[in-house]
Amino acid sequence: MDQADVIRRSSHLFADNLAVSCDGRELTYRDMYDRACRLAQALRARGIAPGDRVAVLSPNSFELIEQTAACALANLPRATLYTYHSHDVNRYLLDQIAATALLVHSSVYAGLAPYIDDWAIGRTVLVFGPEAPAGPLSYDEALARSTAEEMVVPCAPDDPFIIRFSSGTTGKPKAIYHTRRSWSEVTNEWRWATPMVTERSRYLCPIMLAHLGVALVWDMLTVGGAIVAMGTFDAERALELIEEHRATHVAAAPVMIRDMLDVQDTHPRDLTSLECVLYAGSPIAEPTMRRAIATFGPILCQLYAQSEALPATMLLPHQHVLDGTEAEQRRLRSVGRPTPRVVVTVRDDDGAEVPVGEIGEIAVRSGFVMSGIWGDPEGTANRLLPDGSVLTRDMGYVDDDGFVYLVDRKDDMIVSGGYNIWPTELEQALLNHPAVLDTVVFGVPDDRWGETPKAAVVLAPDVQATEDELIAHTRAIVGGVKKITSVDFHDSLPRTSTGKLQRGALKDPYWAGKESRIAGS
């Protein structure tokens, strides 16, 4: 079923159901459809035609789901920009996809105002949110002046549907796009891979809808469930919302889960409605996993995915075995098995498959990998193999039972004295130290070895550890060749709004004025 048909159908079958709740505002499916039609008509009145790209720059907000629906109805590919990017990067991305419209939240517009005249050249700009200006930029005024007449626009399965920008770990972000057909298949795969959703389901989304938060959005819209989004994450408020809405599904980064567990220990809420806690974005520390299972129940689902291939693998609740056999405990370090309609292989630098257990680049094949990189046929060709698999740029291996283990990003590998060292292995070792709350490892220049592993560490409250102690700890686990050689202590580590550690923010200053081993890393 096409996404436009999903929106029309749900507006009739589930008209009075809660569709969206965010920061105290709510919409039923009937009202969401009305506002989506008004937005679609407002964009058409401004000359925006089917196939034109609409960019959205916003934190989680009340309006995002109606914008998603409007773009589906009007056959307008929707591109999600990121609030943590600089103005220069977002302007580059707007130009890269030749966006004809920009929908921007008022909290972002305040900092964007000096640039808006330049950004608005050749495109429509509408500002939404509580502090939006009146006049021609006003999103709400545009909707109020538009008709709610049903929008019927021809759509083809291979029409571009959504554009998601890569995180840009090397070079500038890439515009990954999916067609209406492939995104429908993405939606279907979630139904296979996670507990079934119904019109009684409530999806709490404390993480960005532009990232992991998108996971269950279209499933909820299809069955008439409710999407409860948080404008900004607050652990105590997240627990309140679970209790208040009887949330059944949650998607969160491991660091968010840890914060919620800390609050639950002192201000407990009724969490018995939960059926699925989906986590992704970074490894979860074993102590956090144990606490989460004890608190939420056996409902953890670990997701491995990226914009180019989602979902790819999942570690399901019954595979989170804390005190099982050696094999079961080893699988806790994996990202699970491929979801039902996905094939995962591991490739060498020439694209050939490597034997089981050997490290190479993870490749994912399914009917819903990326359709391409917008405006970059060469980049698309470099990521797609002849059999349709997409190269993920993640290094890892597969065991005899089909469980996938990530080693690290291909570009994050540290080469020290001729040895390949993967930061993730060292990070996992450090997180097993009782004093370490958070950590990230990266290579820094070394006159003798070329580069050497350094750890940035956040210590747990009221616990102490020295640099020498942590170095010795990693030596005992991974050996003298791979151990960290220095430690910087921090109060917190830089993360994106999705909880992903920004390794480059810590690493880059050490390479300033020097030639990094990997260009652009």
Side-chain angles (χ1 to χ4, degrees):
M1 183 184 298
D2 182 84
Q3 290 85 359
D5 293 328
V6 166
I7 297 301
R8 295 188 192 97
R9 175 180 178 273
S10 293
S11 71
H12 294 297
L13 291 182
F14 312 114
D16 295 322
N17 284 16
L18 175 67
V20 180
S21 175
C22 183
D23 293 343
R25 300 176 67 190
E26 295 187 343
L27 272 182
T28 65
Y29 274 86
R30 177 188 291 108
D31 293 337
M32 183 186 71
Y33 184 63
D34 178 279
R35 288 175 62 87
C37 287
R38 289 177 182 275
L39 176 58
Q41 295 287 5
L43 293 173
R44 179 158 66 180
R46 286 159 173 78
I48 298 168
D52 287 347
R53 275 72 64 203
V54 174
V56 181
L57 179 57
S58 174
N60 282 1
S61 67
F62 173 77
E63 294 86 355
L64 287 187
I65 302 302
E66 69 191 38
Q67 293 166 6
T68 298
C71 288
L73 292 169
N75 198 8
L76 302 171
R78 186 174 57 90
T80 48
L81 304 176
Y82 303 135
T83 55
Y84 57 79
H85 278 158
S86 69
H87 295 313
D88 287 343
V89 169
N90 277 327
R91 175 57 195 268
Y92 164 81
L93 298 177
L94 281 174
D95 292 341
Q96 185 184 9
I97 62 170
T100 57
L102 172 64
L103 308 179
V104 59
H105 192 268
S106 57
S107 63
V108 184
Y109 174 74
L112 185 61
Y115 308 88
I116 204 67
D117 289 341
D118 181 48
W119 285 38
I121 295 174
R123 56 178 59 100
T124 292
V125 177
L126 293 175
V127 183
F128 59 95
E131 305 297 328
L137 293 178
S138 172
Y139 176 95
D140 283 339
E141 289 183 24
L143 265 62
R145 289 195 297 266
S146 295
T147 174
E149 179 183 350
E150 184 169 304
M151 172 74 71
V152 179
V153 174
C155 301
D158 291 329
D159 288 344
F161 178 68
I162 190 170
I163 300 172
R164 294 167 56 86
F165 293 102
S166 67
S167 56
T169 53
T170 58
K172 291 182 177 177
K174 306 294 189 296
I176 310 300
Y177 78 93
H178 288 260
T179 63
R180 299 178 82 91
R181 186 204 313 271
S182 67
W183 201 254
S184 290
E185 292 305 312
V186 168
T187 300
N188 291 338
E189 193 69 1
W190 291 119
R191 296 297 302 276
W192 284 95
T194 58
M196 185 178 73
V197 298
T198 72
E199 66 175 303
R200 295 184 176 182
S201 298
R202 300 290 182 268
Y203 173 40
L204 177 67
C205 188
I207 201 165
M208 278 187 68
L209 287 162
H211 282 282
L212 171 61
V214 77
L216 298 179
V217 164
W218 278 98
D219 294 83
M220 291 291 167
L221 294 178
T222 302
V223 301
I227 300 162
V228 182
M230 297 184 68
T232 56
F233 173 69
D234 175 82
E236 185 170 2
R237 181 59 181 152
L239 296 174
E240 290 174 357
L241 289 170
I242 292 172
E243 183 178 68
E244 176 185 335
H245 286 274
R246 304 297 296 157
T248 55
H249 295 67
V250 175
V255 67
M256 294 177 172
I257 293 174
R258 186 192 69 201
D259 290 349
M260 286 191 283
L261 293 171
D262 289 343
V263 173
Q264 181 69 5
D265 286 345
T266 55
H267 297 85
R269 294 282 180 169
D270 181 0
L271 309 180
T272 56
S273 61
L274 287 174
E275 300 172 9
C276 174
V277 175
L278 182 69
Y279 68 94
S282 63
I284 190 169
E286 183 177 328
T288 301
M289 184 190 300
R290 287 183 175 276
R291 292 175 63 203
I293 292 174
T295 300
F296 301 135
I299 59 172
L300 293 188
C301 293
Q302 181 187 180
L303 165 70
Y304 167 56
Q306 55 183 216
S307 294
E308 296 90 331
L310 75 161
T313 70
M314 291 192 72
L315 188 71
L316 299 171
H318 71 273
Q319 294 162 343
H320 285 73
V321 182
L322 296 173
D323 299 306
T325 65
E326 181 181 343
E328 289 172 328
Q329 292 187 61
R330 183 177 64 251
R331 289 168 190 160
L332 294 176
R333 299 192 295 272
S334 78
V335 291
R337 283 172 164 157
T339 58
R341 297 180 299 160
V342 170
V343 174
V344 170
T345 54
V346 182
R347 308 300 181 104
D348 63 19
D349 288 340
D350 296 321
E353 290 191 39
V354 304
V356 169
E358 187 172 315
I359 293 174
E361 184 172 356
I362 303 293
V364 177
R365 177 165 57 86
S366 71
F368 39 90
V369 298
M370 70 173 189
S371 303
I373 301 174
W374 194 275
D376 188 359
E378 181 179 353
T380 300
N382 289 337
R383 295 295 298 277
L384 292 174
L385 296 173
D387 69 351
S389 295
V390 62
L391 293 168
T392 63
R393 297 294 185 251
D394 287 326
M395 303 296 286
Y397 63 94
V398 178
D399 70 13
D400 289 322
D401 297 313
F403 286 83
V404 179
Y405 296 77
L406 298 185
V407 177
D408 229 311
R409 290 292 293 173
K410 190 171 186 178
D411 298 310
D412 286 335
M413 183 177 70
I414 301 166
V415 179
S416 183
Y419 290 95
N420 294 342
I421 301 173
W422 300 103
T424 296
E425 183 179 13
L426 285 164
E427 289 162 1
Q428 290 174 341
L430 285 164
L431 288 170
N432 283 328
H433 191 287
V436 176
L437 181 67
D438 204 3
T439 186
V440 63
V441 173
F442 49 91
V444 296
D446 184 88
D447 291 338
R448 183 177 183 185
W449 305 115
E451 60 180 332
T452 188
K454 172 182 280 289
V457 169
V458 177
L459 295 176
D462 303 320
V463 183
Q464 296 298 318
T466 65
E467 179 180 56
D468 288 344
E469 181 182 348
L470 295 180
I471 291 172
H473 175 76
T474 61
R475 180 191 290 113
I477 294 176
V478 303
V481 171
K482 294 183 178 181
K483 71 179 187 306
I484 58 171
T485 57
S486 61
V487 177
D488 289 342
F489 292 98
H490 296 259
D491 293 332
S492 63
L493 298 180
R495 292 180 179 271
T496 68
S497 53
T498 65
K500 183 180 293 186
L501 282 164
Q502 294 181 295
R503 195 188 307 267
L506 296 168
K507 173 183 176 181
D508 291 348
Y510 288 96
W511 290 95
K514 301 177 183 290
E515 183 177 354
S516 176
R517 180 183 58 80
I518 302 171
S521 65

